[in-house]
């Protein structure tokens, strides 16, 4: 067995979480709308309800395409799809204002898992390179703003968001992007995530080992996928890696 040199983490559900994700959708997009109409006045803006519905439909379609084709989108291309559903042409400035409104809505919303920092510190002390690979349409700056207050950004050697890539997990290219940036071959990396298909199966298919962080979220759990290990909390991770090293 090749010695592990790097640990790659998923973000949402693994290192941090966003409370009431589905229940909070209305609030997020309503705040985006309010900021848009206040900052870029126009006689042709739709109603708030229509805006929220269109953006929610665009978001659902985005995640359907991720599940089906692993195709990714930038924040601007994602939001343009929402405006197309409203039959509203927007210029670049209006698009950026709407995105800025959404960014303000999610700023400070994320919650870090209590053992995240101590686990990453322990792994760095043992010489592991640390990476992050997250499926998202959000701008990198929004996620980085979630990491920085807790010092997680300083503990990660490489951070990769699929909004900057052509494909999302479980596409092989997403995993290979982060391993290449870490300068560590896939077989010397382990992926830690809460989704069986995106994180576990995707990582194993490129030769990585994969550790499933058990979750109560209703993500698909196909019977044919078997993680190399299972944890309930991040604090369990160093002991598992230590046991692999001694075996």
């Amino acid at each position: 067995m090749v010695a592990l040199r790097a640990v790659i983490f998923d973000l949402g559900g693994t290192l941090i979480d966003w409370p009431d994700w589905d229940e909070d959708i209305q609030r997020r997009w309503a705040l985006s709308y309010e900021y848009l109409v206040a900052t870029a006045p126009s006689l042709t803006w739709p109603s708030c309800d229509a805006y929220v519905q269109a953006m929610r439909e665009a978001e659902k379609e985005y995640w359907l395409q991720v599940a089906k084709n692993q195709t990714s989108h930038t924040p601007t291309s994602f939001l343009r799809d929402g405006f197309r559903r409203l039959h509203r042409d927007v210029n670049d400035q209006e698009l950026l204002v709407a995105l800025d409104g959404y960014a303000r809505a999610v700023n400070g919303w994320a919650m870090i898992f209590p053992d995240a920092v101590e686990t990453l510190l322990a792994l760095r002390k043992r010489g592991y390179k640390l990476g992050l690979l997250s499926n998202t349409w959000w701008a990198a700056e929004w996620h980085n703003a979630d990491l920085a207050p807790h010092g997680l950004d300083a503990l990660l050697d490489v951070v990769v968001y699929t909004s900057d890539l052509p494909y999302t997990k479980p596409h092989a290219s997403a995993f290979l992007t982060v391993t290449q940036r870490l300068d560590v071959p896939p077989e010397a990396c382990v992926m830690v995530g809460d989704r069986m298909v995106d994180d576990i199966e995707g990582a194993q298919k490129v030769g990585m080992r994969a550790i499933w962080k058990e979750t109560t979220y209703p993500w698909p759990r196909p019977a044919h996928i078997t993680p190399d290990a299972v944890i309930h909390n991040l604090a369990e991770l160093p002991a598992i890696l230590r046991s692999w090293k001694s075996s």
Side-chain angles (χ1 to χ4, degrees):
M1 184 178 291
V2 176
L4 287 176
R5 293 168 48 199
V7 184
I8 301 166
F9 294 89
D10 169 54
L11 182 58
T14 303
L15 292 178
I16 65 175
D17 203 8
W18 294 275
D20 305 319
W21 176 269
D22 290 329
E23 295 82 354
D24 191 70
I25 292 176
Q26 184 82 19
R27 178 195 70 88
R28 299 196 300 270
W29 286 117
L31 287 175
S32 170
Y33 175 84
E34 291 172 7
Y35 186 76
L36 174 65
V37 298
T39 308
S42 170
L43 297 176
T44 59
W45 290 128
S47 68
C48 182
D49 287 345
Y51 178 88
V52 170
Q53 181 179 347
M55 295 306 168
R56 291 185 65 176
E57 289 175 353
E59 197 163 13
K60 289 178 182 177
E61 179 61 26
Y62 170 80
W63 290 114
L64 284 173
Q65 290 305 312
V66 166
K68 183 179 179 181
N69 303 313
Q70 295 94 60
T71 50
S72 187
H73 291 288
T74 64
T76 52
S77 66
F78 164 84
L79 209 64
R80 283 192 188 280
D81 179 46
F83 279 111
R84 279 194 294 269
R85 295 167 188 272
L86 292 165
H87 307 289
R88 174 65 160 81
D89 291 327
V90 288
N91 58 42
D92 291 343
Q93 181 60 34
E94 291 169 333
L95 200 65
L96 291 175
V97 169
L99 285 171
D100 191 30
Y102 188 92
R104 290 167 182 264
V106 300
N107 185 38
W109 176 36
M111 296 173 56
I112 184 174
F113 286 107
D115 52 357
V117 171
E118 65 181 71
T119 300
L120 268 61
L121 281 170
L123 296 177
R124 285 186 69 89
K125 288 178 181 178
R126 294 180 186 181
Y128 291 106
K129 288 187 175 182
L130 303 181
L132 174 74
L133 177 60
S134 177
N135 276 3
T136 184
W137 65 264
W138 287 17
E141 292 81 3
W142 304 355
H143 285 304
N144 290 340
D146 288 334
L147 298 174
H150 310 287
L152 288 176
D153 56 336
L155 297 177
L156 295 163
D157 299 293
V158 169
V159 174
V160 177
Y161 302 112
T162 59
S163 53
D164 295 325
L165 303 178
Y167 293 100
T168 65
K169 297 178 292 185
H171 197 279
S173 66
F175 291 96
L176 296 177
T177 294
V178 70
T179 60
Q180 288 165 3
R181 293 182 185 179
L182 285 167
D183 194 25
V184 178
E187 59 270 20
C189 297
V190 60
M191 179 75 198
V192 182
D194 66 322
R195 299 198 186 212
M196 283 288 194
V197 176
D198 294 350
D199 299 317
I200 306 307
E201 185 177 40
Q204 290 175 334
K205 283 187 174 181
V206 299
M208 297 168 59
R209 277 171 273 182
I211 298 176
W212 182 51
K213 187 186 179 196
E214 192 169 3
T215 179
T216 58
Y217 285 119
W219 311 138
R221 301 182 188 180
H224 71 276
I225 302 174
T226 302
D228 294 278
V230 178
I231 59 174
H232 300 89
N233 301 292
L234 290 169
E236 302 168 48
L237 186 57
I240 290 175
L241 301 186
R242 186 165 53 246
S243 70
W244 285 354
K245 192 173 183 178
S246 61
S247 61

